Amino acid sequence: MKYNEEHKYDDIMDLPHHVSKKHPQMSLLNRAAQFSAFAALTGHADAIQETARLTDSFVELNEDQKEQLDEQLQLIRENLEQKPECEITYFQPDERKKGGTYVTVCGRITKIDAYNRQIIFTDGTVLPIAHLFSIRGELFQNTEY
């Protein structure tokens, strides 16, 4: 009986591999995909990475700093025809979590929109005045800022 079990498939061992006439043969890439690792927790790694991503807290300016920014904005308003070049650092809130980052933008200012409380650069960049942190530029070199 042991002999029959060992040679059970001897009669079909040398036959050619079956190729279906109805179904096309699966590519090696698709066959390999069937055996690829299964991610049981889809999105878990992304969630961990998002949680680990650091953000800065918004720094509330004191009254002196706010007054200084207001004076700088007034000086820019008075010189808008020159399109003054400024380097402005502002707080950009994060869209996904609490906090954000401080970003510095350099360029020429074309308009200060008092109604919408925005600074508009010649390249179309728009910054909210409420999130300003600091302003530097050639206008302020001879002042006490």
Side-chain angles (χ1 to χ4, degrees):
M1 178 142 179
K2 197 170 194 177
Y3 176 78
N4 285 343
E5 287 180 17
E6 288 178 5
H7 299 284
K8 191 174 181 179
Y9 299 104
D10 284 349
D11 58 331
I12 62 169
M13 288 299 289
D14 295 323
L15 293 177
H17 178 71
H18 172 73
V19 177
S20 174
K21 294 178 183 175
K22 291 182 182 179
H23 305 289
Q25 192 169 5
M26 186 181 288
S27 71
L28 288 177
L29 183 64
N30 288 342
R31 286 178 58 107
Q34 291 181 346
F35 301 101
S36 65
F38 173 71
L41 298 174
T42 305
H44 183 66
D46 293 337
I48 290 174
Q49 186 176 5
E50 177 63 24
T51 303
R53 188 172 57 87
L54 298 177
T55 57
D56 293 323
S57 298
F58 179 72
V59 175
E60 187 68 37
L61 300 177
N62 64 37
E63 290 304 315
D64 291 337
Q65 292 168 319
K66 289 179 184 179
E67 185 178 323
Q68 178 182 346
L69 285 175
D70 286 341
E71 290 173 6
Q72 289 176 318
L73 288 173
Q74 185 58 38
L75 189 57
I76 292 170
R77 270 190 204 99
E78 293 169 2
N79 292 281
L80 275 177
E81 69 278 351
Q82 298 172 12
K83 296 190 183 346
E85 187 168 3
C86 293
E87 178 182 291
I88 298 179
T89 301
Y90 72 102
F91 183 77
Q92 184 176 38
D94 195 290
E95 295 177 358
R96 296 186 200 149
K97 62 193 291 186
K98 186 176 180 179
T101 57
Y102 280 89
V103 179
T104 301
V105 176
C106 297
R108 296 199 170 272
I109 297 175
T110 188
K111 181 179 180 183
I112 295 180
D113 183 349
Y115 181 76
N116 293 313
R117 307 235 343 117
Q118 297 175 332
I119 298 173
I120 302 168
F121 287 80
T122 55
D123 66 357
T125 302
V126 178
L127 303 182
I129 291 175
H131 293 161
L132 291 185
F133 183 73
S134 69
I135 303 174
R136 294 186 188 150
E138 46 192 49
L139 282 178
F140 316 116
Q141 289 178 359
N142 297 329
T143 59
E144 296 181 23
Y145 300 114

